[in-house]
Amino acid sequence: MSPSTGRNGVLLTTAFVFHVLSGALWTGATLYVVYATLPRAADGTLGREAFVDAAHRLLMVTRWTGVVLPVTGAYMIWRLYAPLEALATTRRGWAVLAMLSLWGVMNGVVELGVLRMRREVDPNVGWGRYMAEGFPVDRLAGGASVPGSARLASVARPYLLASSVLAVLLLVDAALLAGGVPG
Ligand code: HEM
């Protein structure tokens, strides 16, 4: 093995490790928030601070992994799908394009869901401010109105449920790739 092949091998392995770690953290966090916090916020057992904090932390996980996943994924495409038309002409390529699309949609859905929650408190918050801050729990204190956790849960529910469906589809897609769907 030439030195340069060896370095590329380590880089590809490293990209896989960070990619899979990020994918597991993001999909797992999403499913856990939906399973463990949404019903409890809806029935009022979980206070609004705890629910908002969970949603904000899910947003932060979404944004951090939202950098790592496309960067590592693009590198993996560059290494594994040359020429690029293999993405459009092979079954593994379709699975990767599906992964990319599901990632994009799920990102948007999580962002919008938490934005809708924040607008219950700060109706006029703009995109720029929201992108910089997310929905930190201390915004509840300074907000124009103070909705209860059940209200916040009902606003977030469609977005969180859609995110959990997308997370499951992403995991199925990743499993197909891991299980070695033939090209
Ligand atoms: C920008 C979005 C993404 C891109 C461009 C992308 C791209 C890729 C590529 C090229 C591979 C290697 C496929 C192969 O072995 O032939 C891969 C594998 C994988 N991806 Fe993604 N991905 C993205 C998002 C995600 C997300 C959101 C998840 C969350 C579940 C995920 C989970 C995985 C896993 C677990 C594997 C390993 C599958 C295996 O064992 O081969 N990816 N991805």
Side-chain angles (χ1 to χ4, degrees), residues 12 16 19-28 65-81 87 92-93 95-104 106-107 166-181:
L12 185 59
F16 261 90
H19 193 83
V20 172
L21 280 176
S22 299
L25 176 62
W26 188 37
T27 51
T65 59
V67 175
V68 178
L69 283 165
V71 169
T72 52
Y75 179 71
M76 289 148 85
I77 289 175
W78 181 57
R79 288 293 311 280
L80 300 172
Y81 293 82
L87 281 179
R92 294 185 70 83
V96 169
L97 290 181
M99 191 171 255
L100 177 61
S101 312
L102 288 166
W103 168 82
M106 187 170 150
N107 253 286
L166 291 161
V168 169
L169 291 175
L170 267 165
L171 289 167
V172 170
D173 190 5
L176 293 178
L177 282 167
V181 165

Side-chain angles (χ1 to χ4, degrees), residues 142-183:
S145 65
V146 188
S149 63
R151 172 74 199 147
L152 290 168
S154 79
V155 166
R157 180 182 291 105
Y159 297 91
L160 288 178
L161 291 181
S163 307
S164 64
V165 171
L166 291 161
V168 169
L169 291 175
L170 267 165
L171 289 167
V172 170
D173 190 5
L176 293 178
L177 282 167
V181 165

Side-chain angles (χ1 to χ4, degrees), residues 32-163:
Y32 187 76
V33 164
V34 171
Y35 171 69
T37 72
L38 183 62
R40 292 291 162 250
D43 70 16
T45 322
L46 186 70
R48 68 172 166 259
E49 280 77 9
F51 184 53
V52 165
D53 196 46
H56 174 70
R57 284 166 190 268
L58 175 61
L59 184 67
M60 294 301 116
V61 169
T62 302
R63 289 180 179 175
W64 280 112
T65 59
V67 175
V68 178
L69 283 165
V71 169
T72 52
Y75 179 71
M76 289 148 85
I77 289 175
W78 181 57
R79 288 293 311 280
L80 300 172
Y81 293 82
L84 266 189
E85 66 185 49
L87 281 179
T89 55
T90 64
R91 266 173 294 192
R92 294 185 70 83
W94 297 336
V96 169
L97 290 181
M99 191 171 255
L100 177 61
S101 312
L102 288 166
W103 168 82
V105 176
M106 187 170 150
N107 253 286
V109 171
V110 173
E111 287 283 350
L112 276 176
V114 182
L115 176 63
R116 285 287 317 274
M117 282 175 69
R118 180 152 180 191
R119 286 203 167 141
E120 287 295 307
V121 176
D122 280 331
N124 299 320
V125 70
W127 264 106
R129 179 114 188 250
Y130 172 68
M131 287 313 289
E133 293 178 356
F135 190 3
V137 71
D138 56 14
R139 298 307 305 168
L140 277 172
S145 65
V146 188
S149 63
R151 172 74 199 147
L152 290 168
S154 79
V155 166
R157 180 182 291 105
Y159 297 91
L160 288 178
L161 291 181
S163 307

